[in-house]
Each structure stands twice: as C-alpha cells, then as structure tokens.
Amino acid sequence: MKLVPLLLLQFLTLSTQPVAAFPKLHPRDGEEIPWGQWAQGAWDLTAGIAAAGVGAFGSAWNAGASLFQPFEKSDTATTQQNQGASNIQTDSSTTQQDADPLGQQKDFQLPPDPTLDLLPTPSAEINLMVIGKTDPNDPCYPSNFNNPECDGRPMDRVILTSICENLASNQIQITEAIRSRNQLIESTLNAIDTLNKRNGHPGPGVRKSQSNSYDVLYFLVPLTDKQVDDINRLDGVYTVEFSQKLIDYNYRESDPALQENLQTPIKVKWRQLDDPPTFNPSFHIETQPSVYPDLGFISTPFKKKTAPAYSYESKAGEGVVAWVINSGVDRSSDFVIEEYHFAQGATEEEADDLGLGTCYASKIIGTYGVAKKGRLKIMKIGSHLESVADGLTGIIDSVSEMAVGFAVIALDQNWVALGGVMTKVIEDLITKLEQVYQVPIVVKGGDETNFNEYSNPAESNIVTLPALWSQTHPLIVVGAVDPISGERYPWSRGGPFKTISAPGRVKCANQFKPGSSQITKGGDFAAAQVTGLLVYLLSSAQYGNHLRMDPSGVPHAIKELVLKLGYVREGSQDISIWNGLDSTLNQFWR
C-alpha cells in the first residue's frame, strides 16, 4: 500500500516540472511513449529511490527511465536536453560552474603518447588477460561481447570524473560545483547498481577513489553498454572505460617490428671511471661485515672484486621516506613500517599478498637494506590499474605536507600499454609528483616468466609501462645483474628504456618465517635496492643538499647522479649502482 502514494507523488511531480527537467522521458516530435514504458520507468524509479534515498531522486529518475528507453536520441534531441537542463539551474550554481576551472567540455581528444607507438596492438589473448573480469574463462570478456549469452550483462567500468581533464595542470581547484557533480554521478550509479542487482546481477556496489586532494577521481561499478551511454551524458563525467588488470605474470613480446623500434641508441649521461674519485667529506663511515654479495656489491669501488662487507655513511637514509606501492608487506623484525595505507581495491590487511613485498621492503631499509635508517611507508594496492592511480593520489596527499627532497617512490607494478584514459591519468599523477613535489620514482624493468632464458636476446627488451615512460620522464628503470660478476641475468629485461642495474639475487627478510632470512632472485629486488640507494643519497652529507638545490629538480638530479656514480663491472656490459664510497674511505679496503 505504501507504493501507491509514492507513485502518485512521482507523477504529480512530473506534471508540475518543465519537460526539459526530465529529458530522458521526452519523446521525439510526433512520437508517443507507450503507457507500459512510463509504468516501467516509474517502477524502476521507485526501486532507485528506495535504495539511494530521496537525495538521489533526479538521478534515479533518469537512470530508471533511460535503461528501458526503446529508442536512441538524435543529436538534436541531446542538444535540446542539455539546454533544457541548464535553464533550470539556480543563479548560485551557475556562478559556481562558471568559476569551475575544469569546465564541462564533453568532447576531448587525448594527446598522442609516443611510447604507445612502440608497441604493436596486443593480441586478443593478452587483452583477455589484462582487462575486464579477472576470470580468464569468463565468456563475457570485452572482446566476446558478440556472445549472445553476454547481452546486457554488467561488467566493471571505471567512470573518470572531469577532474581528470586537467590533472597535469598545477592549478586544479576542487570547487563546490565539482563536488556537486560528483555527488550526482555517485547517486546515479547507486541507483543503477540497485536496478542491476534487482535484475539478477549481484556486484560489489559502487566503489570510488579516496584522495583528499582530488575529491573523487573515479568511480568503479559494473555497467552494461547501454548504461555506459547514459552515464556518459552526465555533467562531470570525463569518460567511461573498462577496468584494466595489472599483470602479475611477465609479458613477452617477440614481434620483429617492436624489437626494431626498441633498438634505438640509449641516451644517458654517465662516465666510465678510470680512477676512483677523490672526496674529502666530514662524515662517519660504518661497515656491516659478512654480508651477502648483493650489499657488498653496492659499496665496492671501481676495479675491485665484490666486497664481503657493506660500507655506508652513518646517516644512511635518516629523515627520508621511501613510499612502496605494491601488493602488501608483512611486518618484520628486520625493518620498521612507519605507516600502512590501503588504496581502493586493496585487501585491507597488513599482509604480503603475492609473497614479494616483504623481501622488497627489507632491501630498502633495515638489516638487509641499503638505507639502514630510512623511513618506510606502504601503499597497498589492488589488482587493477585504477588502484595505482588511487595509491598515487594518496601519496600526493602526504608528500604535499613534506619538505622537498625527502621522499622517494618505489612503484613495484607494471602493466601492458593498452592505451585508455586511466593510463594517461597515472602519467599525469607521476608528472605532478616529479615536477611539483620533486619526488623521484623507481620502477622495475620486468622479468621473463619463471626466469627462463631468452631464445633471442632481443626479446628481453622492456615492453611494459611505466618503464616505457623513462625517456620522457626522469623515472629510474632498473634491471638485474649477478652480484659477483655484474653480468645481466638472461631473464632480466633491458634495452634503451633501462636506466641502471643492481643485484638481482639477494638476501632478504623471509615473509614465511618471521625473523629469518631467505636468498631469492628477481628484478623487483634489484629495483628495491636502487630505491634504497636514492633514500641513502638524499640523506647523504656528501650529496643530499646538492640534490635538493639542483636547478633541474630532484628527480633529474638524482637520476644523473646515480648514472655518474654507476660503472660497468669488468666482464659486464651493464652500468650498475655504487654508493660513492671509494677505496680510501671503505673500511674493508683499508
């Protein structure tokens, strides 16, 4: 009985409002909407209001009606709809939107991404592995939408808000108009999600980014193709695209055209040391004896064999934060985690989900780390690309309150360059971290699956993001070498996008046996040691202040310093890291 007054209220409300206020129910000239469609729209509106609340009234009306609309609007009708909707705005909302720096433009074109030209169109198999649902046996992947069984089935989509339009700009202001539009998007998505569940499509509900700096950067919710079209018409929606899965396997591409493109000459600044440099620093040197070769490698001077001890400045990371973005880290007695954060999509448990993060963190600070006294903060992310974006915005919230030159980011994830707006959003966030907050970022080059040797050495070139951005950004891309010989491991990716190498076989904390160690290998751990080196250099009495004062900015300056300090071990062809201590200062060599 309660439903009858509510339905009556809906139709009374409709009769007292301008037609343009409800444009999705307005027929084309000379066309009548059948009574059955009005009734169905009203029923769905009722369900939407019951779930989303009275505040979502307008959104639920549009969602309930348009989902069952039997015709597509012409461009003229759409234009009339937008004009009609704008005519009923109040003066205050119009003023706010006029001041909105992001505007309401719906037509956009992404600038060309030079790195994407290097990659061929991925195969259908790769597409199935990295976007859409996580089950590879699901018959309703995006590439299988012609399957009649998939008709009308909602799939995970990322709804990027208008904030993303000018994300690279340093002048973004989150106005009340932007917040209001995001709230409208959210209430509409809640209403649609309620309808989908009522129609037998249970899902996780509406999820969203959590940044304080950017309000809502994106929403994540299962939608059908038709619902995507409706959502794209809302003010404040930048675009809608599939949720792309991060790769937890290693991508191998042997296309000849790709390999030809990747053989371009490497352009880096470095020097081959003929003799160790002479320094006269006034700082104390400490030595950790009887270490595994991976640490000894880092403080071994030019023309010397890998030392069985690790020498370092006594400050060794003091006051500098290493942000680790990965699938989680277990707490360990070998290092201290100062803060633990969870991006959207991450399992909210302080645990090492993939069995890599604990070893990774222990190579940055602590007993097995390069920067013994560095500070460690964890940003745990989920398995999809939007989680990386959310993690980066969370870090921006933090570093915006820090002094310049006291933070480093280790982005321990990679993904196939399929294009899409979310990839551009992440690049814009990286740009902001580098240019505005002066935060250097370390990424891995990637490894071959199961550490198999390549049948063709050319196949070992880097082919994934974010490493492919290293020639347009001061990213430091790391490969893995043997800690004794300095030779590159055959499973470690290289090529012109790689910056530097570090030991890929390491001794580190064991996440399976707390308090014990393990010896393992992988490019992730080489990148972790380079992250530790950056933390070390920023705290160094020898280099720290010079890096922060360099006019090129901290990310560029520290990348150049790492290359200048690095040298090619005898019998190798790869430039590998060195912490800058020469034979007159290294206690082991005295």
Side-chain angles (χ1 to χ4, degrees):
M1 294 299 294
K2 294 181 180 180
L3 179 62
V4 175
L6 185 55
L7 287 172
L8 181 59
L9 173 62
Q10 293 165 3
F11 285 106
L12 288 175
T13 304
L14 175 64
S15 66
T16 60
Q17 294 294 328
V19 173
F22 305 99
K24 292 184 184 291
L25 292 180
H26 183 44
R28 292 193 289 260
D29 293 340
E31 183 173 9
E32 295 183 359
I33 294 181
W35 169 254
Q37 184 188 338
W38 283 87
Q40 181 67 68
W43 170 258
D44 292 317
L45 169 64
T46 304
I49 291 178
V54 177
F57 178 80
S59 309
W61 182 282
N62 286 342
S66 64
L67 291 173
F68 298 92
Q69 192 167 324
F71 59 85
E72 294 292 336
K73 280 199 229 6
S74 65
D75 292 340
T76 304
T78 303
T79 302
Q80 291 172 346
Q81 165 191 327
N82 293 336
Q83 292 174 346
S86 64
N87 289 337
I88 63 171
Q89 294 173 347
T90 64
D91 291 339
S92 60
S93 66
T94 302
T95 302
Q96 288 173 335
Q97 292 190 4
D98 287 343
D100 181 359
L102 297 182
Q104 300 184 40
Q105 291 184 350
K106 298 295 294 174
D107 296 327
F108 65 92
Q109 189 171 17
L110 286 176
D113 185 342
T115 62
L116 299 184
D117 295 337
L118 296 169
L119 291 171
T121 302
S123 65
E125 179 182 358
I126 292 297
N127 270 295
L128 298 186
M129 291 296 292
V130 298
I131 62 177
K133 297 291 183 180
T134 56
D135 180 5
N137 298 317
D138 191 331
C140 297
Y141 270 101
S143 60
N144 292 338
F145 268 155
N146 291 329
N147 186 341
E149 297 178 6
C150 305
D151 187 31
R153 174 173 169 176
M155 300 193 65
D156 270 352
R157 319 281 182 134
V158 182
I159 298 91
L160 294 108
T161 67
S162 58
I163 297 170
C164 299
E165 291 183 56
N166 295 322
L167 192 59
S169 168
N170 298 336
Q171 307 300 323
I172 287 184
Q173 296 178 354
I174 306 301
T175 66
E176 288 305 315
I178 291 175
R179 290 190 176 92
S180 177
R181 292 207 302 268
N182 287 346
Q183 289 170 3
L184 176 63
I185 296 168
E186 183 172 6
S187 61
T188 305
L189 291 173
N190 278 320
I192 289 177
D193 188 59
T194 299
L195 295 173
N196 286 341
K197 289 177 179 176
R198 193 175 130 271
N199 290 330
H201 297 297
V206 178
R207 295 145 285 169
K208 59 183 179 179
S209 61
Q210 308 174 76
S211 170
N212 296 326
S213 300
Y214 298 112
D215 195 59
V216 182
L217 196 68
Y218 66 84
F219 297 93
L220 179 65
V221 66
L223 298 173
T224 66
D225 282 351
K226 179 64 174 67
Q227 291 164 350
V228 168
D229 292 339
D230 294 326
I231 292 298
N232 256 323
R233 296 189 183 112
L234 290 177
D235 285 340
V237 172
Y238 184 38
T239 190
V240 182
E241 62 185 28
F242 281 106
S243 172
Q244 179 179 334
K245 195 174 187 300
L246 296 168
I247 54 177
D248 49 15
Y249 61 91
N250 292 285
Y251 177 65
R252 181 170 179 174
E253 178 57 68
S254 57
D255 182 81
L258 168 66
Q259 302 311 325
E260 182 179 352
N261 285 335
L262 290 180
Q263 295 305 314
T264 55
I266 185 168
K267 297 179 180 179
V268 296
K269 296 180 180 179
W270 66 282
R271 59 187 170 89
Q272 175 73 59
L273 299 179
D274 295 324
D275 294 297
T278 301
F279 300 120
N280 296 300
S282 56
F283 53 82
H284 181 63
I285 304 298
E286 294 185 11
T287 298
Q288 180 180 358
S290 304
V291 297
Y292 194 71
D294 60 332
L295 273 182
F297 182 98
I298 295 171
S299 63
T300 296
F302 183 59
K303 294 184 179 179
K304 297 286 186 178
K305 293 182 179 179
T306 298
Y310 174 54
S311 292
Y312 56 92
E313 287 188 36
S314 57
K315 293 178 68 175
E318 194 173 282
V320 181
V321 175
W323 274 99
V324 175
I325 304 176
N326 67 4
S327 56
V329 176
D330 288 343
R331 292 192 180 271
S332 169
S333 59
D334 298 307
F335 56 87
V336 175
I337 299 175
E338 189 172 306
E339 294 179 12
Y340 215 119
H341 300 262
F342 302 92
Q344 190 282 320
T347 56
E348 295 194 11
E349 181 181 1
E350 295 184 2
D352 185 348
D353 290 355
L354 294 182
L356 296 173
T358 306
C359 176
Y360 191 101
S362 73
K363 296 309 300 177
I364 300 174
I365 68 169
T367 306
Y368 306 105
V370 178
K372 301 296 182 184
K373 300 178 182 178
R375 301 164 58 193
L376 182 65
K377 298 184 180 183
I378 306 300
M379 179 61 74
K380 187 176 182 179
I381 60 173
S383 59
H384 285 73
L385 196 55
E386 62 271 6
S387 193
V388 176
D390 193 46
L392 289 172
T393 58
I395 293 175
I396 287 176
D397 291 340
S398 176
V399 298
S400 63
E401 301 175 355
M402 294 180 61
V404 169
F406 287 91
V408 176
I409 293 175
L411 179 48
D412 188 32
Q413 273 294 355
N414 56 344
W415 58 93
V416 178
L418 295 179
V421 178
M422 184 56 77
T423 294
K424 182 65 171 61
V425 165
I426 291 176
E427 185 180 11
D428 287 345
L429 291 169
I430 286 174
T431 299
K432 186 171 289 289
L433 282 161
E434 292 168 339
Q435 295 183 0
V436 178
Y437 302 110
Q438 298 292 301
V439 181
I441 300 174
V442 178
V443 301
K444 59 184 177 183
D447 302 335
E448 164 65 344
T449 307
N450 298 323
F451 304 106
N452 294 326
E453 293 190 8
Y454 292 93
S455 57
N456 180 355
E459 292 181 351
S460 64
N461 281 326
I462 292 166
V463 291
T464 54
L465 293 173
L468 288 175
W469 288 326
S470 66
Q471 291 191 339
T472 55
H473 289 261
L475 296 173
I476 297 179
V477 182
V478 183
V481 295
D482 184 276
I484 301 296
S485 67
E487 293 183 17
R488 178 165 69 103
Y489 281 117
W491 41 260
S492 176
R493 294 191 178 277
F497 295 97
K498 184 179 71 175
T499 308
I500 197 83
S501 294
R505 190 173 78 246
V506 301
K507 184 177 183 180
C508 60
N510 189 336
Q511 72 273 17
F512 303 110
K513 295 180 180 179
S516 64
S517 64
Q518 62 175 328
I519 295 174
T520 186
K521 61 182 179 179
D524 299 74
F525 313 127
Q529 290 177 103
V530 174
T531 303
L533 178 62
L534 265 60
V535 173
Y536 173 93
L537 293 174
L538 285 172
S539 71
S540 166
Q542 191 168 328
Y543 303 111
N545 288 335
H546 293 290
L547 290 170
R548 280 181 278 274
M549 295 172 62
D550 194 293
S552 68
V554 175
H556 287 278
I558 202 166
K559 181 174 184 178
E560 184 172 347
L561 176 61
V562 166
L563 285 165
K564 284 183 176 179
L565 290 174
Y567 64 91
V568 179
R569 266 62 175 181
E570 186 175 354
S572 173
Q573 296 181 348
D574 285 58
I575 310 168
S576 298
I577 61 171
W578 178 42
N579 68 358
L581 294 182
D582 70 11
S583 57
T584 63
L585 299 175
N586 188 317
Q587 292 183 13
F588 177 78
W589 292 111
R590 287 181 179 175

